[in-house]
């Protein structure tokens, strides 16, 4: 939109120069130098252009350099063998760019507020406690949502609860065994059901594991649970009333947990909301000639000639008439399309579900559940492992509950804070919460989402290195410098931005200049780790500048004001990035 990216500005110059010399502008791409010791930016277009124009690359590069040599944008521009163009931007140009950035860094990247992106993440299963398997979906999805919004899109997020499957039947039959006299199990009961749930959250949480374990050894029990699930899905009155209690009790707890994670959803829909669309959808599949019967089940072929591995048909109805996971995902697409008309869907789910989503997306396209130009994205994430390289477990070997994991991190950070400095218990606790969440989220998000990663609490909470606390520490450091500066009666003034002869300040300004490019990359590639990498680098260049430059004791007031303006923007951009990643910074650490 209004603020161009620095690379665009540079490329614009090259477009003019290439065209001015009679060459196609497609060769005019500028990139950040991969040899920062030689130059800041480079253009390698002459190498490719040489083939088309049958000239030596050096000749082309030289012609282009001649056109740009006297441009005020460059402090240095030269052609090096065999035809690369290296350049350094002038102090004046970077200063102007950064001033523009300071005024506009948080403006949308695209003019897209009328285009909707629908993000499906979280995906907890009702009545089962949130465990760390659901952590990644929540953390990554939340960041993708915030980045997409920042990019300028209208974004709708849905937690998509697992609220309609066998676990519901299991709970119902287990409860029936424990409290057979409840009115929900009395088919002749016609009165109003109680408003109070017949269990508390903690009771509910113990019911599911008991029932689940029993269903693995007791065939009869399992069958009863399947029947109860079927009855619930068909609208059984007592079971529906009970289901509502399960939902209420469970949701209250889930919401509390997501709030702690600074994760929130626009929609709290679930698999059950898809139910009303299913019957018509299956009929439509059949009428379109897409669905056919195979071994009693109803399936749709989705394999393509271009497939390199086998993609089995998508089962949309089981032989006993029951719906499956794919059925409810397809039916929810119908609902989403109807109410939100998204151009793009993003599902943030464990990568082991990739086949399921390949099938679902193909059926959705084949059956025209969405317009042709709609884009489906599956962002499949890897597993969070323990130091032993196996999926993360508690010390006792059980599944770690998210709440306990968070408490462990907070305790570790708390101990570190009280070791480091005098502070009240209350403040240390509050700070530990903020820093702990940053440690957890950064530890996750700094890895490419598709990869597995090792959960290493000691590393994640370290104040040094590529960690959340290091980033926060940098922000806190800048805040404190600015505070002291202001205490001396001065104020931060962006118009004082300058790039005097100070290499580490220029390096900081160049890094700041990459900001919008990086956010755009993170948005397009669904890659929050790119944002983490950026703030790590930005923190490093800031800290180098800080160590090499006296800021508060600088006597030249213009210079000092320029330094403070640059670090204030550094802080703002770091804060903006951590907000996009989904965590906050404390005032002190
Ligand atoms: N509840 C599912 C699970 O725990 C994840 C749901 C993901 N979203 C979806 N639309 N299928 O595996």
């Amino acid at each position: 939109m209004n603020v161009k990216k620095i690379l665009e500005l540079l490329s614009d110059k090259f477009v003019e120069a290439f065209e001015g010399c009679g060459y196609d502008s497609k060769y005019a791409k500028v990139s950040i130098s991969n040899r920062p010791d030689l130059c800041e930016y480079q253009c390698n277009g002459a190498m490719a252009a040489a083939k088309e124009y049958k000239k030596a690359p050096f000749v082309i590069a030289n012609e282009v350099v001649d056109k740009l040599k006297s441009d005020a944008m460059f402090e240095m521009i030269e052609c090096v063998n065999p035809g690369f163009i290296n350049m350094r931007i002038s102090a004046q140009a970077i200063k102007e760019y950064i001033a523009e950035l300071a005024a506009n860094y948080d403006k949308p990247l695209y003019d897209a507020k009328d285009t909707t992106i629908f993000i499906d993440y979280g995906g907890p299963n009702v009545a089962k406690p949130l465990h760390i398997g659901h952590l990644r979906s929540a953390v990554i999805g939340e960041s993708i949502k915030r980045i997409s919004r920042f990019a300028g899109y209208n974004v709708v997020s849905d937690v998509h609860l697992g609220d309609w499957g066998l676990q519901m039947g299991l709970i119902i039959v287990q409860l029936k065994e424990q409290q057979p006299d409840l009115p929900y199990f009395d088919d002749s009961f016609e009165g109003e059901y109680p408003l109070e749930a017949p269990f508390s959250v903690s009771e509910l949480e113990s019911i599911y594991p008991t029932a689940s374990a029993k269903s693995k050894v007791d065939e009869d029990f399992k069958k009863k649970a399947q029947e109860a699930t079927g009855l619930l899905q068909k609208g059984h009155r007592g079971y529906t009333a009970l289901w509502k209690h399960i939902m209420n009790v469970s949701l209250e707890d889930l919401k509390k947990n997501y709030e702690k994670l600074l994760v929130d959803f626009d929609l709290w829909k679930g698999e059950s909301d898809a139910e009303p669309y299913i019957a018509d959808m299956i009929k439509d599949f059949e009428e379109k000639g897409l669905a056919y019967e195979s071994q009693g089940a109803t399936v749709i072929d989705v394999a393509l000639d271009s497939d390199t591995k086998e993609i089995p048909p998508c089962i949309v109805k089981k032989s006993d008439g029951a719906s499956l996971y794919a059925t409810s995902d397809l039916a929810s697409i119908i609902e989403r399309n109807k109410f939100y008309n998204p151009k793009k869907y993003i599902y943030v789910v464990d990568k082991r579900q990739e086949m399921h989503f390949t099938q679902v997306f193909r059926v959705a396209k084949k059956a025209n559940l969405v317009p042709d130009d709609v884009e489906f994205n599956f962002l499949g994430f890897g597993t969070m492992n323990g130091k032993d390289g196996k999926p993360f477990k508690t010390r006792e070997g059980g599944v770690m509950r998210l709440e306990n994991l968070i408490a462990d991190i907070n305790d570790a950070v708390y101990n570190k804070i009280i070791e480091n400095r005098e502070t009240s218990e209350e403040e240390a606790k509050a700070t530990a919460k903020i820093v702990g969440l940053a440690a957890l989220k950064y530890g996750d998000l700094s890895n490419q989402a598709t990869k597995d990663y090792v959960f290493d609490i000691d590393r994640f909470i370290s104040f040094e290195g590529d960690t959340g606390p290091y980033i926060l520490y940098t922000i806190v450091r800048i805040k404190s410098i600015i505070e002291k500066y202001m205490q001396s009666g001065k104020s931060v003034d962006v118009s004082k931005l300058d790039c005097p002869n100070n290499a580490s300040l220029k390096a900081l300004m160049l890094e700041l200049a990459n900001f919008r490019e990086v956010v755009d990359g993170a948005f397009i590639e669904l890659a929050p780790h790119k944002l983490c990498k950026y703030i790590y680098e930005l923190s490093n260049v800031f800290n180098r500048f800080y160590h090499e430059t006296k800021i508060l004791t600088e006597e030249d007031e213009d210079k000092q004001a320029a330094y403070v303006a640059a670090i204030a923007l550094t802080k703002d951009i770091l804060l903006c990035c951590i907000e996009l990643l989904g965590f906050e910074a404390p005032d002190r650490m």
Side-chain angles (χ1 to χ4, degrees), residues 90-213:
S90 69
Q92 182 62 25
I94 189 72
K95 161 182 154 182
E96 280 170 21
Y97 181 79
I98 296 297
E100 180 78 18
L101 183 69
N104 297 297
Y105 73 92
D106 56 355
K107 297 273 167 16
L109 295 168
Y110 300 96
D111 188 3
K113 60 181 183 315
D114 297 328
T115 306
T116 298
I117 297 180
F118 197 102
I119 311 188
D120 178 319
Y121 67 102
N125 298 314
V126 169
K128 302 190 199 171
L130 266 191
H131 62 79
I132 50 166
H134 292 109
L135 174 69
R136 296 211 73 191
S137 179
V139 169
I140 299 166
E142 180 69 20
S143 177
I144 300 281
K145 177 186 79 180
R146 293 176 182 215
I147 293 170
S148 307
R149 258 185 205 147
F150 182 90
Y153 285 77
N154 176 46
V155 181
V156 180
S157 61
D158 179 15
V159 68
H160 203 74
L161 303 164
D163 62 356
W164 211 225
L166 183 62
Q167 88 263 30
M168 293 297 173
L170 285 167
I171 293 168
I172 293 172
V173 293
Q174 177 64 26
L175 210 65
K176 192 169 174 177
E177 288 194 357
Q178 293 175 2
Q179 303 183 53
D181 298 331
L182 290 175
Y184 311 96
F185 306 121
D186 176 1
D187 283 340
S188 63
F189 182 79
E190 282 175 359
E192 294 282 322
Y193 291 111
L195 291 173
E196 278 288 302
F199 41 71
S200 66
V201 200
S202 50
E203 280 161 353
L204 182 59
E205 280 177 0
S206 70
I207 296 176
Y208 174 74
T210 313
S212 163

Side-chain angles (χ1 to χ4, degrees), residues 485-558:
Y485 178 74
M486 299 202 358
Q487 274 161 6
S488 67
K490 300 171 193 166
S491 55
V492 181
D493 182 353
V494 187
S495 71
K496 296 283 188 175
L497 269 171
D498 200 359
C499 187
N501 198 8
N502 176 323
S504 55
L505 176 60
K506 191 176 186 197
L508 178 61
M509 292 172 94
L510 287 173
E511 197 59 51
L512 288 169
N514 296 335
F515 170 63
R516 292 177 66 85
E517 190 87 28
V518 171
V519 186
D520 193 32
F523 167 66
I524 291 172
E525 295 168 43
L526 308 178
H529 73 277
K530 297 207 150 172
L531 222 50
C532 292
K533 183 160 176 271
Y534 175 67
I535 54 176
Y536 179 52
E537 272 160 22
L538 184 57
S539 296
N540 284 338
V541 282
F542 162 77
N543 283 311
R544 206 168 306 134
F545 167 70
Y546 168 80
H547 288 300
E548 287 174 7
T549 315
K550 46 183 180 53
I551 302 174
L552 290 169
T553 55
E554 173 59 58
E555 277 153 17
D556 179 332
E557 293 216 353
D558 283 334

Side-chain angles (χ1 to χ4, degrees), residues 46-103:
M47 303 299 293
K51 295 199 186 78
E52 178 176 340
Y53 298 100
K54 303 200 168 44
K55 281 189 188 174
F58 200 81
V59 173
I60 298 177
N62 251 327
E63 287 172 330
V64 171
V65 167
D66 268 344
K67 280 247 184 286
L68 293 172
K69 232 169 21 206
S70 53
D71 194 303
M73 181 117 193
F74 305 104
E75 177 187 284
M76 177 284 286
I77 179 162
E78 67 180 4
C79 164
V80 294
N81 260 328
F84 300 115
I85 300 171
N86 290 350
M87 67 206 95
R88 272 199 305 272
I89 193 169
S90 69
Q92 182 62 25
I94 189 72
K95 161 182 154 182
E96 280 170 21
Y97 181 79
I98 296 297
E100 180 78 18
L101 183 69

